[in-house]
Amino acid sequence: MSSPATAPPAPNNLKRIVAASLIGTTIEWYDFFLYGSAAALVFNKLFFPDSDPLVGTLLSFLTYAVGFAARPLGALVFGHYGDRLGRKKLLVLSLLLMGGATFAIGLLPTHATVGTAAPVLLTVLRLVQGFALGGEWGGAVLLVSEHGDARRRGFWASWPQTGAPAGQLLATGVLSLLTAVLSDAAFGSWGWRIPFLLSGVLVVVGLWIRLSVDESPVFKEALAQAEARKAARGGAAEKLPLVSVLRHHWRDVLIAMGARMAENISYYVITAFILVYATTSAGVSKQTALNSVLIASAVHFAVIPAWGALSDRVGRRPVYLLGAVGIGLWMFPFFALVDTGGFGNLILAVTVGLVLHGAMYAPQAAFFSEMFSTRMRYSGASIGAQFASVAAGAPAPLIATALLSAYGGSTPIALYVIAAAVLTVVAVGVAQETRHRDLADVAPDAEPEPAATSPAADARTA
């Protein structure tokens, strides 16, 4: 483990890079969460109208889960080319794919117009969304991590993570506004399309900002070293990033997957499934449930950088473990508060849950980035994060809804989240602390380098 060697970038340049990553992740999570909220509120009626209401919700969440199924494929494809071509190019592509798919959902005909073709088209566009998001996360956090000041990497890398609550805030806010000003009939007829069509405007803004930033200097240096090693070997190509990850970092991939379980499952139970549970079991209105998630998401956005900064002081593992243990302990009080039906209790339940979630989510960006070497970092971080989402976030609302249907209460759902928390505690508990790692370290499968030829190389050698 070597000490950080790269000099901190200029503050203005770093802020622009953080802004580019944040605006992109906000837009992509807005698109993703908008679908989740719409799945809970209207898609069951518009695309699965012949089903029982709860069955229709299950089918709606099934198309929601399909997006997660495409995320590992996106992680593999974007990770491979991101480690070969650079972070920036792939981030632009992911933004275009996600925004285009979301805009197209706003134009979709419903079941009443085209019959069974409607849910099929919806599922295809959901697959495109998931594929794009599978490549977005890794590139966004790496672009900041590899530019940022090593001493404050947890803080700066946590800002792209705020794109999740910012996107949730934006998506829920738009839906809440529309449900407040439109009648149920108008919202179900055409109002639900407006948030999806707004994505087109957001993508233009995101592209303008994202195209203005530079490629990661750590990646450019690693690429130059890789080209030099290739020339020294007579033009022999490097191993595929995926092969290198599975050879040198398989343990880190498993740790990342385990670390994601409680974080991913709890988030979708707290923000997506709660819209179903609060309105069906607790007798809360749709507007009240949306408003509680809206308020809690604002708090979530604010605490993530604070948790990231704390991880720079005490380490990634202690903060992550605090969040995992806390979310497990909170589940029974969470549902007890929701069951009262009071707006204040609902806000308290969701807000505390998201604050504890933030303790896991904030250090995750730096933690996962520091696990992997530069030439396989995009692949490793993306694979670890997105493969876990298939078993965690993808079925979470579906499993929670099925448990509610089968048992008629919240106890099995709380136990489901607690089991995920135990798994995360074990995974993070066996991980090594990564706070002091140098992201410019040479990949483990690289040949030994000759004597240093640059001041930066001399510093790392020392």
Side-chain angles (χ1 to χ4, degrees):
M1 185 182 299
S2 56
S3 60
T6 52
N12 289 339
N13 186 45
L14 180 56
K15 289 177 182 177
R16 187 171 69 250
I17 292 161
V18 170
S21 292
L22 174 57
I23 190 68
T25 54
T26 297
I27 292 169
E28 298 219 24
W29 282 115
Y30 165 81
D31 294 345
F32 207 74
F33 289 140
L34 181 61
Y35 189 102
S37 297
L41 297 173
V42 295
F43 281 177
N44 57 333
K45 302 179 184 70
L46 296 173
F47 293 92
F48 308 99
D50 297 330
S51 304
D52 172 82
L54 196 55
V55 174
T57 301
L58 281 169
L59 292 172
S60 185
F61 275 141
L62 187 59
T63 63
Y64 176 71
V66 163
F68 287 84
R71 284 165 69 170
L73 180 59
L76 290 172
V77 173
F78 279 82
H80 172 82
Y81 288 103
D83 282 329
R84 290 294 180 92
L85 304 177
R87 293 37 170 140
K88 178 181 172 179
K89 295 182 180 69
L90 275 298
L91 285 174
V92 170
L93 178 59
S94 70
L95 188 61
L96 286 171
L97 285 174
M98 175 66 87
T102 305
F103 186 83
I105 289 174
L107 300 175
L108 273 183
T110 64
H111 188 280
T113 305
V114 296
T116 55
V120 172
L121 292 172
L122 182 67
T123 302
V124 170
L125 291 174
R126 182 60 175 170
L127 284 168
V128 175
Q129 279 190 323
F131 178 78
L133 191 59
E136 162 69 21
W137 180 84
V141 300
L142 293 189
L143 196 64
V144 176
S145 296
E146 293 178 345
H147 272 94
D149 179 357
R151 292 169 298 180
R152 303 186 68 197
R153 185 181 298 132
F155 171 73
W156 289 116
S158 70
W159 278 100
Q161 301 290 77
T162 65
Q168 178 77 66
L169 190 66
L170 191 58
T172 306
V174 171
L175 284 172
S176 181
L177 177 63
L178 289 172
T179 55
V181 300
L182 296 176
S183 65
D184 287 345
F187 182 77
S189 175
W190 54 269
W192 67 272
R193 298 181 183 275
I194 295 175
F196 290 93
L197 297 176
L198 282 176
S199 180
V201 178
L202 296 176
V203 167
V204 173
V205 175
L207 282 175
W208 176 68
I209 297 176
R210 189 160 274 186
L211 287 169
S212 68
V213 302
D214 296 325
E215 181 56 81
S216 155
V218 173
F219 172 79
K220 289 192 288 188
E221 184 176 351
L223 182 61
Q225 292 173 358
E227 292 297 327
R229 291 194 298 271
K230 181 179 178 181
R233 291 194 293 257
E238 284 191 309
K239 297 181 181 69
L240 294 175
L242 175 60
V243 174
S244 296
V245 166
L246 296 180
R247 178 181 176 185
H248 298 286
H249 288 291
W250 61 269
R251 181 176 181 273
D252 294 318
V253 169
L254 292 177
I255 288 173
M257 291 176 67
R260 285 274 282 168
M261 288 298 165
E263 177 268 308
N264 219 216
I265 289 173
S266 66
Y267 188 79
Y268 291 106
V269 168
I270 292 170
T271 60
F273 170 71
I274 194 62
L275 298 177
V276 175
Y277 184 82
T279 54
T280 59
S281 295
V284 175
S285 70
K286 182 193 314 180
Q287 186 67 41
T288 299
L290 282 170
N291 287 342
S292 67
V293 174
L294 187 67
I295 294 169
S297 294
V299 177
H300 194 210
F301 179 90
V303 300
I304 284 178
W307 285 123
L310 182 63
S311 78
D312 286 326
R313 286 181 163 273
V314 303
R316 319 299 183 211
R317 292 173 68 250
V319 177
Y320 212 116
L321 288 169
L322 174 64
V325 172
I327 204 69
L329 294 175
W330 183 243
M331 276 299 101
F332 280 111
F334 171 82
F335 283 108
L337 287 167
V338 174
D339 286 338
T340 66
F343 183 46
N345 287 341
L346 190 59
I347 292 173
L348 177 62
V350 179
T351 300
V352 173
L354 288 184
V355 168
L356 292 170
H357 171 269
M360 294 181 283
Y361 199 54
Q364 190 179 98
F367 190 32
F368 289 7
S369 298
E370 291 157 350
M371 287 182 181
F372 302 95
S373 303
T374 303
R375 289 288 284 158
M376 60 191 80
R377 185 170 293 133
Y378 202 145
S379 295
S382 297
I383 291 169
Q386 303 308 333
F387 272 67
S389 70
V390 176
L398 192 65
I399 290 174
T401 303
L403 289 172
L404 177 63
S405 178
Y407 296 97
S410 61
T411 298
I413 305 166
L415 292 174
Y416 166 52
V417 179
I418 290 170
V422 171
L423 183 58
T424 291
V425 168
V426 172
V428 177
V430 301
Q432 295 180 352
E433 181 55 59
T434 63
R435 176 165 55 114
H436 296 295
R437 286 186 179 169
D438 180 6
L439 294 187
D441 278 344
V442 179
D445 61 339
E447 297 291 338
E449 289 190 68
T453 57
S454 68
D458 288 334
R460 282 195 302 280
T461 302

